[in-house]
Amino acid sequence: QVQLVESGGGLVQAGGSLRLSCAASGHIFSNFAMGWFRQAPGKDREFVGGNNWNGGSMYYADFVKGRFTISRDNKNAVYLQMNSLEADDTAIYYCAASQVALTPSPDYWGQGTQVTVLS
């Protein structure tokens, strides 16, 4: 099994920055797909960004608009650097991993970390 644990969420003012981290353990490998999703109150969970293997091309949702950067290291951790945060970015952010692809739904989820943007 794979365990994913997020950290780094919190309260931030609009225009500010946060860096989320996801520590992965268990039977996970560098060829796994990994990335981030988020879910705002009353809305469906949506894809933020990710790639299909470590070193592969990173894909981002349109709402990112160049503000976010996802990176992975050689220890199966994944990071989400968020800049120029907006009120609409308020959501629970989830780390995710899959053996093949993050769509239609990831194989593994973290517990989520709350990001609240104050406007």
Side-chain angles (χ1 to χ4, degrees):
Q1 289 294 318
V2 172
Q3 296 82 43
L4 305 171
V5 179
E6 303 97 333
S7 62
L11 277 70
V12 63
Q13 295 191 25
S17 298
L18 282 175
R19 182 176 173 86
L20 307 184
S21 299
C22 173
S25 61
H27 294 95
I28 190 167
F29 305 93
S30 63
N31 63 347
F32 273 48
M34 293 191 72
W36 293 86
F37 291 72
R38 71 183 189 183
Q39 187 167 21
K43 297 183 178 179
D44 292 335
R45 193 169 298 187
E46 62 182 346
F47 175 73
V48 175
N51 63 5
N52 293 324
W53 62 89
N54 198 357
S57 298
M58 198 67 66
Y59 299 90
Y60 298 95
D62 287 342
F63 65 75
V64 168
K65 296 179 289 187
R67 300 174 300 135
F68 300 171
T69 302
I70 295 172
S71 59
R72 295 170 65 169
D73 64 15
N74 59 5
K75 297 180 176 63
N76 296 314
V78 60
Y79 307 92
L80 175 59
Q81 176 67 49
M82 301 186 290
N83 302 319
S84 301
L85 283 162
E86 305 168 354
D88 287 346
D89 295 317
T90 295
I92 301 174
Y93 284 73
Y94 297 90
C95 180
S98 291
Q99 294 187 57
V100 177
L102 296 172
T103 57
S105 184
D107 297 328
Y108 306 100
W109 294 98
Q111 83 287 352
T113 185
Q114 177 71 48
V115 172
T116 302
V117 182
L118 305 175
S119 61

